[in-house]
Amino acid sequence: MVQRTSLLKFIIEEQRHHPHATGEFTGLLTDVVTACKKISSLTSCGGLAEQAMGTAGSENVQGETQKKLDILSNEIFIESTEWSGNLAGMASEEMDDCYPVPSQYPRGKYLITFDPLDGSSNIDINVSVGTIFSIMVAPEGTDTVVNEDFLQPGARQVCAGYCLYGTSTMMVLTTGRGVNGFTLDRSTGDFLLTHPMMEIPADTNEYSINQSNHRHWEPAVQRYIDECLQGADGPLGKNYNMRWIASMVADVHRLLCRGGVFMYPMDAKLQAKGQNGKLRLLYEANPMSFVVEQAQGLASTGRQRIMEVQPEELHQRVPVIMGSRNEVERILGYHS
Ligand code: AHG
Ligand code: MN
Ligand code: MN
C-alpha cells in the first residue's frame, strides 16, 4: 500500500524549517483543518441536513443574500479556531467587522481571514463549493484587534489555501515553499498528501470567465476573449476551451491541476454599483494569488500584482486575472 504523508506530519516537518517556530502556527493550521473537515461533513449531507439548506433570510455587509450554510460554516470556523491561543482575531466574508478573539481565551500572534463557504450559489444544485483562508501576523503592540490590523498587502501572508468540497475533499495550501494538495481519507479522517508541489503549466488553451458579462468588460478583456473565440483561425492560432463552475475554489483548483486562466475582471456593471471588481481582496483574491504564484502562475488586477495592492477596507474588492503565466502576461499586455 502507498504510504502517504499526513497533513499533520507535513506541517510539523515544515515547522522544522523555522528554527524559532513555537508550534503556534502548527496549532492554528490544525484548527483550520478541523474547521474544514466539519464544513465538509455538513456540505456532504446536502438535502439530508434540512436545517442547513436554503437562504437564511439575511444579507451580509456586501448586500448579498446569506445562505444558512454560509452562516453555519462561519460559526464552525470561529468555534474551531478561536479557543486554542494561536489567534489574535479573524475577519470573514460573513461578518461586517473583524472578530477579536474573546477575552476568555489566550491571545495568539496570528490573524486569519476567510471565506467560509465560497460558491454558495452552488449549494442548492449539489455542485462543488469550498473554503478559502489567509493567515497573517498581527501587528505588534495592539491590544484588541481592529479592522485596520487586517489591511496588510497579500505579500505579507504567511500561509494561504483552500479546501475544496468536490467529488473528494481536498486541502491545498502554501506557506511560501510551493503548493501541496491533500485529499481527505474519509475512513480515517486524515488529509493525505496526494498532490505534492503542484504547478500551473505556463501555457494553456483553457479560460474561465462569466461570459454573460462580455458587454460590460474593459476593452482589453473583450479583445482577449474575442481572440480565444476565433480559435485557430484568429491571432492566437489555437482553439480554446471554456469552463465556468462559479465557485472560485473549484475554478482555481482546475488551474492548479491542468492550467488555464481564471478571470473576474473589472466591469461597468460592477462599477455602476461602486464596486471595484467582484471578488474580495482579503479572503478570496489574496489567498488564491499566493497559491497561484507559489505554483508558478501569475495573479494580477490587470494593472498591478494582486499581492501588492494596499488594502483600504476589510471587504474591498479587486479585479482578478490569474493562472498560466504566459497567457496572463498576454492579457496584461492588452491592458497596457
Ligand atoms: P461567494 O459564494 O463566497 O459569495 O463567492 C462567489 C464568487 C466566486 O466563488 C465565483 O467565482 C463568483 O462569485 C461567481 O460569480 P457569478 O455568479 O457572477 O458567476
Ligand atoms: Mn467567495
Ligand atoms: Mn462565501
Side-chain angles (χ1 to χ4, degrees), residues 7-41:
L7 179 48
L8 184 60
K9 180 166 180 240
F10 181 88
I11 305 167
I12 289 175
E13 283 174 355
E14 278 287 293
Q15 188 186 318
R16 298 199 180 116
H17 290 278
H18 303 272
H20 303 295
T22 56
E24 216 173 302
F25 175 73
T26 301
L28 172 57
L29 216 47
T30 309
D31 294 342
V32 170
V33 167
T34 304
C36 291
K37 279 195 229 177
K38 289 183 176 164
I39 297 170
S40 172
S41 160

Side-chain angles (χ1 to χ4, degrees), residues 64 93 115 117-120 210 244 246-248 262 264 278-280 284:
E64 295 164 345
E93 176 183 347
D115 176 353
L117 204 68
D118 172 68
S120 48
N210 183 341
W244 183 252
S247 289
M248 186 190 198
F262 169 87
Y264 215 115
K278 163 141 187 182
L279 299 173
R280 282 57 56 101
E284 291 176 321

Side-chain angles (χ1 to χ4, degrees), residues 46-68:
L48 297 174
E50 266 177 58
Q51 77 286 1
M53 297 305 283
T55 55
S58 53
E59 286 187 348
N60 64 18
V61 66
Q62 301 155 70
E64 295 164 345
T65 306
Q66 289 176 306
K67 300 272 175 136
K68 286 183 191 162

